Amino acid sequence: MSDLTPDRLRHETLLLVPDVTLTADGPLDGHAVLVRDGVFRDVGPAERIVRTHPSLTPLRLPGHVLMPGFVDAHHHLTQSFGGALAFGEPSEIFRRVWVPLERALDEESAYVAAKLAALESLRGGFTTVAEAGTRARVDADVVASAARDAGIRCVLGLVCNDAADGTGEDADPRAVLAAAERHLARYGGDGLVHPSLAVSVPEAATGPTLAATARLAAAAGTVVQIHVNEHLVAVERSLVRHGMRPLEYLHHVGALGPQLLAAHATLLTPAEVTLLADSGTAVSYNPVASAWKGNAVAPATAFAERGVRFGLGTDGTRGDGFRLADAAESAQRLTYGLAGGDSSCGAGWTWLERAGAGGADAVGLGRLTGRVAVGRAADFLLVDVSGPEMRLSWDLPWELVRRGNRDQLTAVFVAGRMRLWRGWPPDWDGPALVRRAAELARRVVARAGVTRAHPTSVDAWRQAGPARPTTAARPTGMTAPAAPGSAEATTAGARATRAAEPATAASSARAAGGRA
Protein backbone atom coordinates (compact mmCIF):
# COMPACT_ATOMS: atom_id res chain seq x y z
CA MET A 1 0.00 0.00 0.00
CA SER A 2 2.90 2.37 -0.66
CA ASP A 3 0.72 4.42 -3.04
CA LEU A 4 -1.96 5.08 -0.41
CA THR A 5 -1.55 8.56 1.06
CA PRO A 6 -3.78 10.57 3.37
CA ASP A 7 -4.54 13.05 0.61
CA ARG A 8 -6.37 10.33 -1.32
CA LEU A 9 -8.74 9.88 1.63
CA ARG A 10 -9.59 13.53 2.29
CA HIS A 11 -12.39 13.93 -0.27
CA GLU A 12 -16.00 14.61 0.71
CA THR A 13 -17.08 11.72 -1.52
CA LEU A 14 -15.21 8.43 -1.42
CA LEU A 15 -15.75 5.19 -3.29
CA LEU A 16 -13.68 2.67 -1.33
CA VAL A 17 -12.95 -0.89 -2.46
CA PRO A 18 -11.19 -2.86 0.32
CA ASP A 19 -10.36 -6.54 0.18
CA VAL A 20 -12.97 -7.26 2.86
CA THR A 21 -15.91 -5.26 4.21
CA LEU A 22 -17.20 -6.20 7.65
CA THR A 23 -20.99 -5.87 7.57
CA ALA A 24 -23.92 -7.07 9.65
CA ASP A 25 -23.86 -10.17 7.43
CA GLY A 26 -20.24 -10.86 8.32
CA PRO A 27 -17.04 -10.27 6.34
CA LEU A 28 -17.73 -9.91 2.63
CA ASP A 29 -15.14 -10.06 -0.16
CA GLY A 30 -15.37 -7.90 -3.25
CA HIS A 31 -17.61 -5.25 -1.73
CA ALA A 32 -17.37 -1.47 -1.87
CA VAL A 33 -18.80 1.49 0.02
CA LEU A 34 -19.79 4.95 -1.14
CA VAL A 35 -19.33 7.69 1.44
CA ARG A 36 -20.86 11.11 0.88
CA ASP A 37 -21.75 13.91 3.32
CA GLY A 38 -20.57 11.83 6.26
CA VAL A 39 -22.92 8.91 5.56
CA PHE A 40 -22.71 5.51 3.87
CA ARG A 41 -24.76 6.13 0.71
CA ASP A 42 -24.22 2.72 -0.88
CA VAL A 43 -22.80 -0.61 0.25
CA GLY A 44 -22.65 -3.70 -1.93
CA PRO A 45 -20.77 -5.68 -4.56
CA ALA A 46 -17.93 -3.58 -5.92
CA GLU A 47 -18.80 -4.27 -9.54
CA ARG A 48 -22.31 -2.90 -9.11
CA ILE A 49 -21.29 0.17 -7.13
CA VAL A 50 -18.49 1.12 -9.53
CA ARG A 51 -20.85 0.70 -12.48
CA THR A 52 -23.60 2.72 -10.76
CA HIS A 53 -21.28 5.68 -10.08
CA PRO A 54 -19.17 6.07 -13.24
CA SER A 55 -18.14 9.65 -12.38
CA LEU A 56 -16.26 8.48 -9.29
CA THR A 57 -12.79 6.97 -9.25
CA PRO A 58 -12.72 3.91 -7.02
CA LEU A 59 -9.94 3.83 -4.44
CA ARG A 60 -8.83 0.23 -4.11
CA LEU A 61 -7.42 -0.82 -0.75
CA PRO A 62 -5.64 -4.16 -1.13
CA GLY A 63 -4.64 -5.80 2.15
CA HIS A 64 -7.29 -3.87 4.09
CA VAL A 65 -10.49 -4.58 5.96
CA LEU A 66 -13.10 -1.84 6.20
CA MET A 67 -15.02 -2.30 9.46
CA PRO A 68 -17.24 -0.28 11.81
CA GLY A 69 -15.48 1.88 14.35
CA PHE A 70 -15.48 0.70 17.95
CA VAL A 71 -17.92 2.21 20.45
CA ASP A 72 -16.65 2.79 23.99
CA ALA A 73 -19.81 2.42 26.07
CA HIS A 74 -18.24 3.81 29.25
CA HIS A 75 -15.49 6.41 29.56
CA HIS A 76 -14.34 9.26 31.81
CA LEU A 77 -12.56 11.66 29.49
CA THR A 78 -11.36 14.07 32.17
CA GLN A 79 -9.56 11.36 34.14
CA SER A 80 -6.75 10.86 31.63
CA PHE A 81 -4.16 12.66 33.80
CA GLY A 82 -4.55 9.98 36.48
CA GLY A 83 -3.37 7.04 34.45
CA ALA A 84 -1.28 4.74 36.59
CA LEU A 85 -2.37 6.38 39.85
CA ALA A 86 -5.17 3.80 39.90
CA PHE A 87 -2.98 0.77 39.19
CA GLY A 88 -2.86 -1.82 41.94
CA GLU A 89 -5.46 -0.04 44.05
CA PRO A 90 -8.48 -1.53 45.87
CA SER A 91 -12.03 -0.87 44.73
CA GLU A 92 -13.96 2.40 44.83
CA ILE A 93 -10.95 4.37 43.68
CA PHE A 94 -13.33 7.09 42.48
CA ARG A 95 -13.56 8.30 46.08
CA ARG A 96 -9.79 8.49 46.65
CA VAL A 97 -8.41 9.15 43.17
CA TRP A 98 -10.86 10.25 40.50
CA VAL A 99 -13.06 12.74 42.36
CA PRO A 100 -10.09 14.66 43.86
CA LEU A 101 -8.30 14.57 40.51
CA GLU A 102 -11.23 15.89 38.50
CA ARG A 103 -11.99 18.60 41.05
CA ALA A 104 -8.42 19.86 40.71
CA LEU A 105 -8.97 20.57 37.00
CA ASP A 106 -9.46 24.08 35.69
CA GLU A 107 -10.88 24.91 32.28
CA GLU A 108 -7.64 24.46 30.33
CA SER A 109 -6.58 21.26 32.06
CA ALA A 110 -10.08 19.77 31.75
CA TYR A 111 -10.06 20.51 28.01
CA VAL A 112 -6.58 19.09 27.50
CA ALA A 113 -7.32 15.99 29.59
CA ALA A 114 -10.51 15.29 27.63
CA LYS A 115 -8.86 15.87 24.26
CA LEU A 116 -5.94 13.62 25.25
CA ALA A 117 -8.40 10.84 26.16
CA ALA A 118 -10.22 11.37 22.87
CA LEU A 119 -6.95 11.11 20.96
CA GLU A 120 -6.07 7.85 22.71
CA SER A 121 -9.54 6.52 21.87
CA LEU A 122 -9.16 7.39 18.20
CA ARG A 123 -5.73 5.76 18.19
CA GLY A 124 -7.41 2.60 19.44
CA GLY A 125 -10.10 2.58 16.78
CA PHE A 126 -12.93 4.09 18.83
CA THR A 127 -15.14 6.39 16.81
CA THR A 128 -17.67 6.93 19.61
CA VAL A 129 -17.20 7.32 23.36
CA ALA A 130 -19.83 7.58 26.10
CA GLU A 131 -18.58 10.14 28.63
CA ALA A 132 -20.20 9.32 31.98
CA GLY A 133 -20.06 12.87 33.34
CA THR A 134 -17.19 14.80 34.85
CA ARG A 135 -16.88 16.08 38.41
CA ALA A 136 -14.59 18.87 37.22
CA ARG A 137 -16.00 22.28 38.14
CA VAL A 138 -16.21 23.41 34.53
CA ASP A 139 -19.00 23.79 32.04
CA ALA A 140 -19.81 20.56 30.19
CA ASP A 141 -19.12 22.38 26.94
CA VAL A 142 -15.40 22.25 27.77
CA VAL A 143 -15.55 18.47 27.38
CA ALA A 144 -17.83 18.78 24.35
CA SER A 145 -15.37 21.13 22.67
CA ALA A 146 -12.47 18.77 23.34
CA ALA A 147 -14.30 15.83 21.80
CA ARG A 148 -15.46 17.90 18.85
CA ASP A 149 -12.00 19.34 18.22
CA ALA A 150 -10.44 15.86 18.40
CA GLY A 151 -13.04 14.61 15.94
CA ILE A 152 -14.64 11.82 17.97
CA ARG A 153 -18.34 11.18 18.43
CA CYS A 154 -19.30 11.68 22.08
CA VAL A 155 -22.35 10.80 24.17
CA LEU A 156 -21.86 13.52 26.76
CA GLY A 157 -23.26 12.90 30.21
CA LEU A 158 -24.16 15.66 32.66
CA VAL A 159 -23.91 14.65 36.32
CA CYS A 160 -27.31 15.02 38.00
CA ASN A 161 -26.42 14.12 41.59
CA ASP A 162 -28.54 15.76 44.29
CA ALA A 163 -27.67 13.65 47.36
CA ALA A 164 -24.45 13.44 49.36
CA ASP A 165 -22.69 10.13 48.67
CA GLY A 166 -19.41 10.76 50.46
CA THR A 167 -17.95 12.70 47.52
CA GLY A 168 -20.41 15.57 47.22
CA GLU A 169 -23.09 17.59 48.95
CA ASP A 170 -26.86 17.71 48.72
CA ALA A 171 -28.16 19.86 45.88
CA ASP A 172 -31.51 21.42 45.04
CA PRO A 173 -33.26 18.81 42.86
CA ARG A 174 -35.15 21.52 41.00
CA ALA A 175 -31.88 23.17 39.95
CA VAL A 176 -30.40 19.78 39.03
CA LEU A 177 -33.33 18.87 36.77
CA ALA A 178 -33.43 22.35 35.20
CA ALA A 179 -29.75 21.97 34.31
CA ALA A 180 -30.51 18.53 32.88
CA GLU A 181 -33.19 19.95 30.59
CA ARG A 182 -30.86 22.71 29.38
CA HIS A 183 -28.12 20.15 28.69
CA LEU A 184 -30.43 17.96 26.62
CA ALA A 185 -31.56 20.97 24.57
CA ARG A 186 -28.08 22.40 24.17
CA TYR A 187 -26.70 19.63 21.95
CA GLY A 188 -29.86 18.55 20.21
CA GLY A 189 -28.55 19.42 16.73
CA ASP A 190 -24.82 18.84 17.24
CA GLY A 191 -23.13 16.66 14.64
CA LEU A 192 -20.71 14.89 16.97
CA VAL A 193 -21.87 15.60 20.54
CA HIS A 194 -24.99 13.80 21.74
CA PRO A 195 -26.37 14.79 25.16
CA SER A 196 -27.13 12.34 27.93
CA LEU A 197 -27.61 12.46 31.69
CA ALA A 198 -25.60 10.76 34.41
CA VAL A 199 -25.80 9.86 38.08
CA SER A 200 -22.53 8.73 39.62
CA VAL A 201 -24.07 5.88 41.65
CA PRO A 202 -27.68 5.30 42.75
CA GLU A 203 -26.94 6.62 46.25
CA ALA A 204 -25.80 9.97 44.77
CA ALA A 205 -29.34 10.96 43.80
CA THR A 206 -32.68 10.94 45.57
CA GLY A 207 -35.38 8.55 44.39
CA PRO A 208 -37.48 11.29 42.75
CA THR A 209 -34.45 12.62 40.87
CA LEU A 210 -33.53 9.13 39.64
CA ALA A 211 -37.05 8.73 38.30
CA ALA A 212 -37.12 12.23 36.81
CA THR A 213 -33.83 11.84 34.96
CA ALA A 214 -35.15 8.57 33.54
CA ARG A 215 -38.24 10.34 32.23
CA LEU A 216 -36.23 13.22 30.75
CA ALA A 217 -33.81 10.87 28.99
CA ALA A 218 -36.59 8.67 27.63
CA ALA A 219 -38.43 11.71 26.25
CA ALA A 220 -35.22 12.99 24.61
CA GLY A 221 -34.32 9.59 23.15
CA THR A 222 -31.07 9.42 25.06
CA VAL A 223 -29.63 7.57 28.07
CA VAL A 224 -28.93 8.03 31.77
CA GLN A 225 -25.51 6.62 32.68
CA ILE A 226 -25.22 5.18 36.22
CA HIS A 227 -22.54 3.00 37.83
CA VAL A 228 -24.55 0.05 39.13
CA ASN A 229 -23.65 -3.01 41.26
CA GLU A 230 -19.95 -2.51 40.62
CA HIS A 231 -18.41 -2.90 44.09
CA LEU A 232 -19.36 -5.10 47.01
CA VAL A 233 -19.31 -2.22 49.50
CA ALA A 234 -21.82 -0.29 47.38
CA VAL A 235 -24.15 -3.28 47.21
CA GLU A 236 -23.95 -3.66 50.99
CA ARG A 237 -24.57 0.04 51.61
CA SER A 238 -27.70 -0.16 49.49
CA LEU A 239 -28.93 -3.21 51.38
CA VAL A 240 -28.44 -1.43 54.69
CA ARG A 241 -30.01 1.83 53.52
CA HIS A 242 -32.90 0.57 51.37
CA GLY A 243 -33.20 -3.14 52.05
CA MET A 244 -32.54 -3.61 48.32
CA ARG A 245 -29.54 -4.03 46.08
CA PRO A 246 -28.72 -1.01 43.84
CA LEU A 247 -30.31 -2.42 40.69
CA GLU A 248 -33.38 -3.48 42.66
CA TYR A 249 -33.60 0.00 44.12
CA LEU A 250 -33.46 1.59 40.65
CA HIS A 251 -36.32 -0.68 39.63
CA HIS A 252 -38.23 0.30 42.78
CA VAL A 253 -38.01 4.04 42.03
CA GLY A 254 -38.85 3.63 38.34
CA ALA A 255 -35.43 4.26 36.83
CA LEU A 256 -34.97 0.99 34.94
CA GLY A 257 -35.80 0.89 31.24
CA PRO A 258 -34.28 1.25 27.76
CA GLN A 259 -33.07 4.75 28.69
CA LEU A 260 -30.75 3.41 31.42
CA LEU A 261 -27.14 2.57 30.62
CA ALA A 262 -25.90 0.64 33.65
CA ALA A 263 -22.12 0.77 33.88
CA HIS A 264 -20.37 -2.40 35.10
CA ALA A 265 -23.28 -4.46 36.57
CA THR A 266 -20.75 -7.02 37.78
CA LEU A 267 -22.43 -8.21 40.99
CA LEU A 268 -25.81 -9.53 39.89
CA THR A 269 -28.22 -12.12 41.19
CA PRO A 270 -30.22 -14.22 38.69
CA ALA A 271 -33.24 -12.11 39.58
CA GLU A 272 -31.38 -8.93 38.66
CA VAL A 273 -30.37 -10.36 35.29
CA THR A 274 -34.08 -10.98 34.73
CA LEU A 275 -34.79 -7.35 35.69
CA LEU A 276 -32.31 -6.18 33.06
CA ALA A 277 -33.78 -8.43 30.38
CA ASP A 278 -37.41 -7.61 31.15
CA SER A 279 -36.88 -3.85 31.41
CA GLY A 280 -34.73 -3.43 28.30
CA THR A 281 -32.00 -1.77 30.34
CA ALA A 282 -28.59 -1.62 28.64
CA VAL A 283 -25.26 -2.49 30.26
CA SER A 284 -21.70 -1.39 29.64
CA TYR A 285 -19.54 -4.50 30.13
CA ASN A 286 -16.12 -3.22 31.21
CA PRO A 287 -13.79 -6.24 31.42
CA VAL A 288 -10.48 -4.41 31.82
CA ALA A 289 -11.90 -2.30 34.65
CA SER A 290 -13.01 -5.52 36.36
CA ALA A 291 -9.48 -6.89 36.13
CA TRP A 292 -7.80 -3.69 37.30
CA LYS A 293 -9.99 -2.58 40.20
CA GLY A 294 -13.23 -4.51 40.39
CA ASN A 295 -14.85 -7.17 42.52
CA ALA A 296 -16.25 -9.37 39.75
CA VAL A 297 -16.79 -9.80 36.01
CA ALA A 298 -20.21 -9.14 34.52
CA PRO A 299 -21.91 -12.30 33.15
CA ALA A 300 -21.83 -11.06 29.58
CA THR A 301 -22.37 -14.43 27.89
CA ALA A 302 -25.48 -14.82 30.06
CA PHE A 303 -26.52 -11.32 28.96
CA ALA A 304 -26.24 -12.39 25.34
CA GLU A 305 -28.26 -15.54 25.97
CA ARG A 306 -30.98 -13.71 27.93
CA GLY A 307 -31.28 -10.86 25.43
CA VAL A 308 -29.83 -8.18 27.70
CA ARG A 309 -28.58 -5.24 25.65
CA PHE A 310 -24.91 -4.50 26.23
CA GLY A 311 -21.81 -2.92 24.77
CA LEU A 312 -18.15 -2.85 25.77
CA GLY A 313 -16.55 -0.04 27.75
CA THR A 314 -13.01 0.87 28.72
CA ASP A 315 -13.85 2.90 31.84
CA GLY A 316 -10.81 4.95 30.80
CA THR A 317 -8.41 2.03 31.36
CA ARG A 318 -6.77 1.89 27.93
CA GLY A 319 -7.97 3.09 24.56
CA ASP A 320 -7.51 0.06 22.32
CA GLY A 321 -10.65 -1.45 20.83
CA PHE A 322 -8.98 -4.67 19.73
CA ARG A 323 -7.54 -5.32 23.19
CA LEU A 324 -10.91 -4.49 24.73
CA ALA A 325 -12.67 -7.09 22.58
CA ASP A 326 -9.97 -9.62 23.47
CA ALA A 327 -10.37 -8.82 27.17
CA ALA A 328 -14.15 -9.17 26.89
CA GLU A 329 -13.84 -12.71 25.56
CA SER A 330 -10.94 -13.68 27.82
CA ALA A 331 -12.69 -12.51 30.99
CA GLN A 332 -15.76 -14.58 30.13
CA ARG A 333 -13.60 -17.61 29.39
CA LEU A 334 -11.67 -17.36 32.66
CA THR A 335 -14.63 -16.63 34.93
CA TYR A 336 -17.43 -18.65 33.34
CA GLY A 337 -16.33 -20.60 30.27
CA LEU A 338 -13.63 -22.81 31.76
CA ALA A 339 -15.81 -23.98 34.62
CA GLY A 340 -18.59 -25.00 32.24
CA GLY A 341 -16.47 -26.34 29.41
CA ASP A 342 -17.59 -23.56 27.07
CA SER A 343 -14.83 -23.46 24.46
CA SER A 344 -16.60 -20.85 22.33
CA CYS A 345 -17.49 -18.16 24.92
CA GLY A 346 -19.52 -16.27 22.37
CA ALA A 347 -16.99 -16.68 19.54
CA GLY A 348 -15.26 -13.78 17.86
CA TRP A 349 -18.36 -12.36 16.20
CA THR A 350 -20.13 -11.75 19.54
CA TRP A 351 -17.40 -9.47 20.82
CA LEU A 352 -16.95 -7.58 17.56
CA GLU A 353 -20.69 -7.01 17.41
CA ARG A 354 -20.85 -5.78 21.01
CA ALA A 355 -17.83 -3.54 20.42
CA GLY A 356 -19.65 -1.93 17.51
CA ALA A 357 -23.38 -2.17 16.85
CA GLY A 358 -24.21 -3.48 20.33
CA GLY A 359 -22.31 -0.63 21.92
CA ALA A 360 -24.01 1.93 19.67
CA ASP A 361 -27.40 0.57 20.71
CA ALA A 362 -26.43 0.61 24.40
CA VAL A 363 -25.41 4.28 24.33
CA GLY A 364 -28.54 5.33 22.45
CA LEU A 365 -27.05 5.70 18.96
CA GLY A 366 -28.07 2.38 17.42
CA ARG A 367 -29.87 4.01 14.52
CA LEU A 368 -26.98 6.33 13.77
CA THR A 369 -23.73 4.37 13.93
CA GLY A 370 -22.13 1.01 14.66
CA ARG A 371 -22.65 -0.67 11.28
CA VAL A 372 -21.39 -0.39 7.73
CA ALA A 373 -24.83 0.03 6.20
CA VAL A 374 -26.67 2.45 3.96
CA GLY A 375 -27.90 5.48 5.88
CA ARG A 376 -25.59 5.03 8.88
CA ALA A 377 -22.90 7.54 9.79
CA ALA A 378 -19.61 6.75 8.07
CA ASP A 379 -17.74 5.92 11.29
CA PHE A 380 -15.28 3.27 10.18
CA LEU A 381 -11.76 1.88 10.28
CA LEU A 382 -9.31 0.83 7.59
CA VAL A 383 -7.37 -2.09 9.09
CA ASP A 384 -4.19 -3.36 7.48
CA VAL A 385 -4.31 -7.18 7.57
CA SER A 386 -1.40 -7.77 5.20
CA GLY A 387 1.11 -8.49 7.98
CA PRO A 388 2.27 -11.91 9.15
CA GLU A 389 -0.18 -12.02 12.08
CA MET A 390 -3.30 -11.93 9.92
CA ARG A 391 -2.42 -12.50 6.28
CA LEU A 392 -3.31 -16.19 6.47
CA SER A 393 -6.95 -15.67 7.35
CA TRP A 394 -9.37 -18.47 8.24
CA ASP A 395 -11.83 -16.80 10.62
CA LEU A 396 -11.61 -13.02 10.42
CA PRO A 397 -13.84 -12.14 13.42
CA TRP A 398 -11.83 -14.38 15.73
CA GLU A 399 -8.57 -13.08 14.28
CA LEU A 400 -9.55 -9.44 14.82
CA VAL A 401 -10.52 -10.21 18.43
CA ARG A 402 -7.53 -12.37 19.28
CA ARG A 403 -4.77 -10.91 17.12
CA GLY A 404 -5.90 -7.46 16.07
CA ASN A 405 -3.97 -4.45 17.32
CA ARG A 406 -4.28 -0.70 17.01
CA ASP A 407 -0.93 -0.62 15.19
CA GLN A 408 -2.79 -2.11 12.22
CA LEU A 409 -5.06 0.93 11.87
CA THR A 410 -4.21 2.79 8.68
CA ALA A 411 -7.02 5.32 9.05
CA VAL A 412 -9.94 6.16 11.34
CA PHE A 413 -13.02 7.97 10.01
CA VAL A 414 -15.79 9.69 11.95
CA ALA A 415 -18.79 11.14 10.09
CA GLY A 416 -17.03 10.44 6.80
CA ARG A 417 -13.97 12.50 7.65
CA MET A 418 -10.52 11.06 8.24
CA ARG A 419 -9.62 11.81 11.86
CA LEU A 420 -6.49 9.69 12.18
CA TRP A 421 -3.80 8.58 9.78
CA ARG A 422 -1.37 5.93 11.01
CA GLY A 423 -1.88 6.85 14.65
CA TRP A 424 -1.93 10.65 14.48
CA PRO A 425 -4.45 13.32 13.47
CA PRO A 426 -3.75 14.70 9.99
CA ASP A 427 -5.16 18.18 10.63
CA TRP A 428 -4.06 19.16 14.15
CA ASP A 429 -0.90 18.75 16.20
CA GLY A 430 -1.27 15.60 18.28
CA PRO A 431 2.29 15.51 19.67
CA ALA A 432 1.91 19.12 20.87
CA LEU A 433 -1.22 18.15 22.78
CA VAL A 434 0.62 15.25 24.43
CA ARG A 435 3.45 17.58 25.49
CA ARG A 436 1.03 20.09 26.98
CA ALA A 437 -0.86 17.33 28.78
CA ALA A 438 2.38 16.12 30.38
CA GLU A 439 3.05 19.63 31.68
CA LEU A 440 -0.43 20.17 33.07
CA ALA A 441 -0.78 16.70 34.57
CA ARG A 442 2.08 17.29 37.01
CA ARG A 443 0.43 20.43 38.38
CA VAL A 444 -3.04 18.90 38.59
CA VAL A 445 -1.93 15.72 40.36
CA ALA A 446 0.24 17.71 42.77
CA ARG A 447 -2.72 19.78 43.99
CA ALA A 448 -5.38 17.06 43.79
CA GLY A 449 -4.93 15.43 47.18
CA VAL A 450 -5.15 11.93 45.76
CA THR A 451 -5.02 9.15 48.35
CA ARG A 452 -3.40 5.86 47.36
CA ALA A 453 -3.59 2.70 49.44
CA HIS A 454 -0.35 1.31 47.99
CA PRO A 455 2.98 2.81 46.92
CA THR A 456 3.97 2.95 43.31
CA SER A 457 5.66 -0.16 41.95
CA VAL A 458 9.02 1.63 41.85
CA ASP A 459 8.76 2.67 45.51
CA ALA A 460 7.77 -0.82 46.61
CA TRP A 461 10.63 -2.27 44.59
CA ARG A 462 13.22 0.06 46.07
CA GLN A 463 12.02 -0.38 49.65
CA ALA A 464 12.12 -4.16 49.41
CA GLY A 465 15.79 -4.12 48.42
CA PRO A 466 17.24 -7.52 47.47
CA ALA A 467 14.10 -9.34 48.64
CA ARG A 468 11.71 -8.17 45.94
CA PRO A 469 8.06 -7.92 46.99
CA THR A 470 5.45 -10.43 45.95
CA THR A 471 2.67 -8.21 47.32
CA ALA A 472 2.37 -4.47 47.65
CA ALA A 473 3.93 -3.03 50.80
CA ARG A 474 3.07 0.28 52.42
CA PRO A 475 5.97 2.73 52.14
CA THR A 476 7.60 3.78 55.39
CA GLY A 477 5.82 6.72 56.94
CA MET A 478 2.72 6.61 54.73
CA THR A 479 -0.47 6.80 56.75
CA ALA A 480 -3.52 4.70 56.10
CA PRO A 481 -5.99 6.29 53.67
CA ALA A 482 -8.21 8.87 55.33
CA ALA A 483 -11.56 10.21 54.27
CA PRO A 484 -11.33 12.13 50.98
CA GLY A 485 -11.05 15.85 51.58
CA SER A 486 -9.77 15.57 55.14
CA ALA A 487 -6.45 17.07 56.23
CA GLU A 488 -5.08 13.57 56.71
CA ALA A 489 -6.12 12.58 53.20
CA THR A 490 -4.54 15.68 51.71
CA THR A 491 -1.26 15.02 53.50
CA ALA A 492 -1.17 11.35 52.62
CA GLY A 493 -2.26 12.18 49.09
CA ALA A 494 0.53 14.69 48.66
CA ARG A 495 3.07 12.05 49.65
CA ALA A 496 1.45 9.50 47.37
CA THR A 497 1.21 11.78 44.36
CA ARG A 498 4.78 13.00 44.74
CA ALA A 499 5.86 9.38 44.62
CA ALA A 500 3.70 8.85 41.56
CA GLU A 501 5.11 11.74 39.51
CA PRO A 502 6.76 10.64 36.27
CA ALA A 503 10.54 10.55 36.55
CA THR A 504 12.46 13.24 34.71
CA ALA A 505 15.98 12.77 33.41
CA ALA A 506 17.27 14.84 36.34
CA SER A 507 15.34 12.91 38.99
CA SER A 508 16.45 9.62 37.43
CA ALA A 509 20.04 10.78 37.55
CA ARG A 510 19.71 11.79 41.22
CA ALA A 511 18.17 8.43 42.06
CA ALA A 512 20.96 6.61 40.26
CA GLY A 513 23.55 8.72 42.06
CA GLY A 514 21.99 7.99 45.41
CA ARG A 515 22.05 4.25 44.81
CA ALA A 516 25.70 4.44 43.72
Side-chain angles (χ1 to χ4, degrees), residues 48-182:
R48 176 187 65 77
I49 291 183
V50 171
R51 183 176 63 251
T52 304
H53 305 279
S55 63
L56 300 177
T57 301
L59 179 56
R60 301 192 181 275
L61 304 167
H64 279 75
V65 171
L66 189 151
M67 64 178 284
F70 294 115
V71 175
D72 186 344
H74 185 61
H75 205 323
H76 295 275
L77 295 175
T78 56
Q79 293 179 0
S80 64
F81 287 178
L85 288 177
F87 293 170
E89 289 292 286
S91 65
E92 286 209 327
I93 57 173
F94 74 93
R95 295 179 182 276
R96 297 175 288 102
V97 177
W98 298 130
V99 171
L101 178 70
E102 287 184 302
R103 285 182 175 163
L105 296 169
D106 57 18
E107 187 167 303
E108 182 193 8
S109 55
Y111 173 87
V112 171
K115 193 172 182 181
L116 179 72
L119 174 59
E120 182 184 0
S121 294
L122 287 168
R123 282 167 57 86
F126 292 102
T127 53
T128 297
V129 294
E131 156 57 38
T134 182
R135 302 258 195 151
R137 296 184 175 95
V138 299
D139 191 284
D141 202 53
V142 172
V143 180
S145 297
R148 197 183 296 115
D149 293 348
I152 200 165
R153 193 176 300 282
C154 179
V155 177
L156 180 63
L158 178 74
V159 174
C160 297
N161 300 352
D162 69 340
D165 66 339
T167 62
E169 300 176 351
D170 290 343
D172 180 355
R174 292 170 298 181
V176 167
L177 294 176
E181 291 180 314
R182 291 193 298 271

Side-chain angles (χ1 to χ4, degrees), residues 65-351:
V65 171
L66 189 151
M67 64 178 284
F70 294 115
V71 175
D72 186 344
H74 185 61
H75 205 323
H76 295 275
L77 295 175
T78 56
Q79 293 179 0
S80 64
F81 287 178
L85 288 177
F87 293 170
E89 289 292 286
S91 65
E92 286 209 327
I93 57 173
F94 74 93
R95 295 179 182 276
R96 297 175 288 102
V97 177
W98 298 130
V99 171
L101 178 70
E102 287 184 302
R103 285 182 175 163
L105 296 169
D106 57 18
E107 187 167 303
E108 182 193 8
S109 55
Y111 173 87
V112 171
K115 193 172 182 181
L116 179 72
L119 174 59
E120 182 184 0
S121 294
L122 287 168
R123 282 167 57 86
F126 292 102
T127 53
T128 297
V129 294
E131 156 57 38
T134 182
R135 302 258 195 151
R137 296 184 175 95
V138 299
D139 191 284
D141 202 53
V142 172
V143 180
S145 297
R148 197 183 296 115
D149 293 348
I152 200 165
R153 193 176 300 282
C154 179
V155 177
L156 180 63
L158 178 74
V159 174
C160 297
N161 300 352
D162 69 340
D165 66 339
T167 62
E169 300 176 351
D170 290 343
D172 180 355
R174 292 170 298 181
V176 167
L177 294 176
E181 291 180 314
R182 291 193 298 271
H183 181 75
L184 293 175
R186 185 178 194 178
Y187 300 101
D190 197 291
L192 289 181
V193 179
H194 309 270
S196 80
L197 306 179
V199 175
S200 301
V201 288
E203 63 197 272
T206 59
T209 294
L210 289 169
T213 54
R215 290 193 297 271
L216 287 173
T222 187
V223 296
V224 182
Q225 305 179 54
I226 308 180
H227 298 77
V228 178
N229 289 48
E230 180 184 7
H231 299 301
L232 183 59
V233 291
V235 173
E236 292 176 340
R237 279 197 302 267
S238 182
L239 285 167
V240 171
R241 180 178 299 181
H242 303 297
M244 291 174 278
R245 296 161 66 85
L247 191 68
E248 293 172 333
Y249 178 66
L250 290 175
H251 174 62
H252 174 72
V253 301
L256 288 194
Q259 81 291 332
L260 176 60
L261 174 55
H264 301 288
T266 54
L267 296 164
L268 298 177
T269 64
E272 287 174 305
V273 176
T274 297
L275 279 178
L276 291 173
D278 290 350
S279 65
T281 297
V283 172
S284 174
Y285 166 40
N286 310 320
V288 182
S290 289
W292 285 10
K293 48 89 180 180
N295 294 129
V297 173
T301 48
F303 290 165
E305 180 63 26
R306 294 290 304 277
V308 175
R309 301 164 51 230
F310 74 95
L312 308 185
T314 66
D315 198 16
T317 51
R318 61 183 176 219
D320 190 324
F322 293 108
R323 292 190 71 184
L324 179 64
D326 184 27
E329 189 273 337
S330 296
Q332 293 302 296
R333 182 175 299 274
L334 292 173
T335 54
Y336 304 105
L338 292 180
D342 181 0
S343 57
S344 173
C345 285
W349 65 269
T350 294
W351 309 112

Side-chain angles (χ1 to χ4, degrees), residues 4 8 16 19 32 35 60 65 126 133 154 171 189 232 241 244 284 334 353 369-370 380 412 414 424 466 470 491 497:
L4 182 62
R8 302 186 68 188
L16 304 176
D19 277 356
V35 175
R60 301 192 181 275
V65 171
F126 292 102
C154 179
L232 183 59
R241 180 178 299 181
M244 291 174 278
S284 174
L334 292 173
E353 196 277 337
T369 187
F380 65 95
V412 177
V414 181
W424 292 100
T470 56
T491 302
T497 51

